[in-house]
Amino acid sequence: MEIVSHFDKDTYRGVYVYKMGTTIYVLHAFKKKSKKGIKTSKKDIAVIKNRLNIAREIDKGI
C-alpha cells in the first residue's frame, strides 16, 4: 500500500506498509524530492525491500 500526502507545497510519498496477521509494519516514508516523474528512487526501493525482508523474518520469529 502506498499513501501520498501533500503538505505545505511538498509531497510526502510512500508510507509503504505491509500487514502480516494482526501486525502492520511501516516500511518507509519520505519526502518526494523530484520535480518531475513519479518513480520512487532505486535507493528508496532498496530500503523498502530490505525492511520488508526484516519484517518477514520478525514475523517468522527468527
Side-chain angles (χ1 to χ4, degrees):
M1 175 189 317
E2 177 185 18
I3 300 169
V4 178
S5 178
H6 305 283
F7 176 75
D8 196 26
K9 298 183 182 179
D10 290 319
T11 299
Y12 295 87
R13 178 158 310 239
V15 174
Y16 290 88
V17 298
Y18 183 70
K19 182 178 178 188
M20 289 184 266
T22 60
T23 304
I24 297 174
Y25 295 89
V26 177
L27 303 176
H28 195 43
F30 55 95
K31 180 179 172 181
K32 182 169 174 17
K33 295 178 185 173
S34 174
K35 299 296 181 193
K36 63 179 188 176
I38 60 171
K39 281 190 163 185
T40 302
S41 75
K42 290 179 182 181
K43 179 183 172 186
D44 288 314
I45 290 172
V47 168
I48 293 163
K49 286 180 178 181
N50 184 50
R51 291 177 179 169
L52 177 59
N53 288 333
I54 292 168
R56 286 178 174 157
E57 288 179 13
I58 292 170
D59 191 57
K60 288 180 185 177
I62 294 176

